[in-house]
Amino acid sequence: MASFQKYKTTKGEMWMFKTNLGINHQTGKIKYITRRGFKTKREAQLEASKFLQQVATGKGILDKSLLFTTLIDQWFEQYKLSGVKKSTILNRQTTAIPNLKKYLGQYPLGKITPIVYQEFLNQLFDLNYSTSTIETLNIVGKLIFKYAYENDLIDRNPAKNAVVPKKVATIEELKSKSLEELYLTKKELITFLNYIKLNTTTLDYSIFLTLAYTGIRIGELLALQWEDIDFVYETISISKTLFRNENRIKEYELTPPKTKKSSRIILVDKVVLEQLSYMLFEQERIKKEFPAYHDKQFVFAKLRGDLSGYPESRRAVGFRLKRYLQKLGISKSLTLHKFRHTHVSLLAEAGVDLQAIQERIGHEDSKTMRKVYLHVTKEVNKQAVEKFGQLMKE
């Protein structure tokens, strides 16, 4: 049963209602709920009736004293059962959750307002956290508060309209920032591959040649097994990706690819297949010398030492990419992920349309890929406009 009371404010008289929800089993005391700010008694009565009906159906009981760190743990247990990839779960566990707990963990839910949450994002910006890290934290924060709202733990989502702060680029930075920093040109790629072929290992040359000629993700490449390579029909079948926890070489798992479109069969150039054929020959030779070879038929397996046969380390490949670029004097800060843009740019230069490129690299859509494609085909598009203009003048 609710009670109603008139009270005075600087704006005039208002109405409120107060009701109890029974005994709080943790404190042994009666738990009261108060709602204020109604212009008339009738408004207060209608809201009280609505609230009590929600309580009767298990809704409307908001636990604003619950600590955010406890909510995070509750959400994460449910999140792990939602079918997301293990690599995504690991990313949330190692990056987003520790930072959310560090800065907001000890706040009761009722104290995290939209202003408090926005100030949290602004604080990360002031502490020079990268934009991508802040965006990741914001994504996870929104997921957690959405979970709390849908489970009637809060009555509004404080992260709903939050904005990730971003640095305003200077004119000099805008001038120096070029899309060509995202990929290697044809000339640079040829120089890069020739250097690796002559100065490094068979494994490294095979890895970077295949990445450059196929545009597949590094996780997809490391998961390839010989049954995925069809030397007759000249194709590679991509149906899995390699997942490792904390880069432990012997502890790996083959998981489904990133998206539905990531599962695909692509045609491969003969130069790649010839190199892979040589890799297969090398592996068979090494297996005879090392009986302890981890023979799970991985294409890009380590060829030396006690870890022979295990898929190569993603981190090690990324480190060597950076080192080889430095040795060649190529100052572009390419990562293995950005290395895919090289394949996109060269396909665009060869006249392949955007949809065909998307299907080949297994990407539903990407703003960066579109920018690279449009940048590379800019001259072709310019010629098309000029031809149209000329046609209209005739």
Side-chain angles (χ1 to χ4, degrees):
M1 190 77 178
S3 63
F4 303 90
Q5 185 178 339
K6 187 186 294 185
Y7 65 98
K8 293 183 178 181
T9 71
T10 55
K11 295 182 180 179
E13 292 183 336
M14 304 292 284
W15 282 85
M16 60 176 277
F17 76 82
K18 185 177 182 180
T19 187
N20 77 72
L21 300 174
I23 301 295
N24 185 318
H25 296 292
Q26 291 182 339
T27 64
K29 298 179 181 180
I30 296 176
K31 185 173 183 178
Y32 289 98
I33 290 291
T34 302
R35 294 286 187 269
R36 300 173 181 268
F38 304 102
K39 293 180 180 179
T40 65
K41 184 177 181 179
R42 179 62 177 163
E43 272 188 26
Q45 288 173 329
L46 289 172
E47 186 61 30
S49 176
K50 180 180 176 182
F51 177 79
L52 290 172
Q53 187 176 6
Q54 288 178 326
V55 171
T57 57
K59 297 180 179 180
I61 307 173
L62 310 178
D63 188 358
K64 294 189 176 183
S65 64
L66 182 72
L67 292 181
F68 187 53
T69 188
T70 304
L71 172 63
I72 291 174
D73 292 337
Q74 290 180 8
W75 166 80
F76 190 56
E77 288 305 310
Q78 187 62 38
Y79 181 72
K80 289 189 290 187
L81 302 175
S82 64
V84 295
K85 291 178 61 179
K86 288 191 175 183
S87 57
T88 304
I89 291 173
L90 181 63
N91 176 268
R92 304 296 188 236
Q93 194 171 22
T94 57
T95 303
I97 289 177
N99 280 294
L100 287 168
K101 284 189 173 184
K102 178 180 178 181
Y103 293 102
L104 293 175
Q106 296 309 306
Y107 276 78
L109 289 186
K111 297 292 184 181
I112 305 180
T113 64
I115 292 176
V116 168
Y117 185 78
Q118 184 63 60
E119 287 177 346
F120 154 66
L121 296 179
N122 295 345
Q123 182 183 6
L124 296 179
F125 178 76
D126 292 338
L127 291 171
N128 292 320
Y129 277 65
S130 69
T131 300
S132 61
T133 298
I134 300 175
E135 286 175 342
T136 297
L137 294 180
N138 187 41
I139 288 169
V140 177
K142 286 185 175 182
L143 287 174
I144 294 171
F145 284 115
K146 182 174 181 284
Y147 166 84
Y149 180 77
E150 291 175 347
N151 286 278
D152 300 305
L153 297 174
I154 55 176
D155 51 10
R156 62 177 175 177
N157 184 341
K160 184 177 180 180
N161 298 314
V163 177
V164 174
K166 296 179 181 179
K167 180 182 176 183
V168 178
T170 64
I171 295 175
E172 289 73 19
E173 288 173 333
L174 290 172
K175 285 180 178 179
S176 64
K177 197 172 184 180
S178 169
L179 278 173
E180 291 182 2
E181 292 294 311
L182 297 176
Y183 59 88
L184 296 178
T185 63
K186 177 183 173 183
K187 182 179 179 181
E188 288 171 333
L189 180 61
I190 291 173
T191 301
F192 177 78
L193 292 176
N194 283 340
Y195 172 83
I196 295 176
K197 185 176 183 179
L198 297 174
N199 297 282
T200 68
T201 65
T202 299
L203 177 59
D204 272 5
Y205 179 62
S206 301
I207 287 174
F208 289 111
L209 181 71
T210 306
L211 287 174
Y213 274 66
T214 63
I216 66 177
R217 299 175 179 89
I218 183 63
E220 294 170 341
L221 178 128
L222 296 176
L224 289 176
Q225 294 164 299
W226 287 114
E227 65 182 9
D228 301 317
I229 313 298
D230 192 324
F231 289 98
V232 176
Y233 290 98
E234 301 180 347
T235 63
I236 290 180
S237 176
I238 301 161
S239 60
K240 52 191 178 292
T241 188
L242 187 83
F243 170 74
R244 274 197 178 103
N245 191 346
E246 298 181 2
N247 208 42
R248 296 189 181 103
I249 297 299
K250 291 187 177 182
E251 297 178 20
Y252 65 84
E253 185 177 347
L254 298 180
T255 63
K258 187 174 182 180
T259 65
K260 289 181 180 179
K261 284 197 172 184
S262 295
S263 292
R264 60 203 187 278
I265 297 175
I266 60 172
L267 289 167
V268 192
D269 193 275
K270 283 184 172 61
V271 68
V272 175
L273 293 171
E274 288 173 1
Q275 181 61 26
L276 294 184
S277 179
Y278 180 68
M279 270 286 292
L280 180 59
F281 173 81
E282 280 291 286
Q283 284 187 11
E284 293 302 322
R285 181 182 64 79
I286 291 171
K287 286 176 190 177
K288 294 175 183 178
E289 297 178 7
F290 297 96
Y293 186 93
H294 181 69
D295 194 4
K296 295 296 180 181
Q297 296 294 302
F298 285 106
V299 177
F300 299 98
K302 288 179 174 292
L303 299 176
R304 298 176 181 175
D306 296 336
L307 298 176
S308 294
Y310 285 95
E312 181 55 288
S313 159
R314 177 196 305 242
R315 185 180 298 175
V317 175
F319 173 77
R320 295 200 292 270
L321 168 63
K322 185 176 180 180
R323 182 156 53 99
Y324 297 152
L325 290 173
Q326 288 175 342
K327 284 184 175 292
L328 289 168
I330 299 175
S331 59
K332 296 178 179 179
S333 57
L334 289 182
T335 62
L336 288 170
H337 178 72
K338 290 180 181 177
F339 198 75
R340 275 161 53 85
H341 299 151
T342 297
H343 188 67
V344 171
S345 70
L346 294 176
L347 286 176
E349 190 176 328
V352 180
D353 67 79
L354 183 58
Q355 184 177 346
I357 294 175
Q358 288 177 324
E359 290 175 358
R360 179 169 176 80
I361 68 171
H363 214 307
E364 293 180 357
D365 196 12
S366 166
K367 289 181 180 179
T368 304
M369 188 184 74
R370 284 178 177 272
K371 286 180 180 178
V372 170
Y373 180 85
L374 292 173
H375 177 73
V376 173
T377 57
K378 182 169 58 179
E379 188 59 36
V380 176
N381 293 332
K382 182 181 177 182
Q383 291 174 9
V385 172
E386 290 174 350
K387 287 180 180 179
F388 180 82
Q390 186 63 38
L391 175 66
M392 296 303 292
K393 291 177 182 177
E394 292 176 356

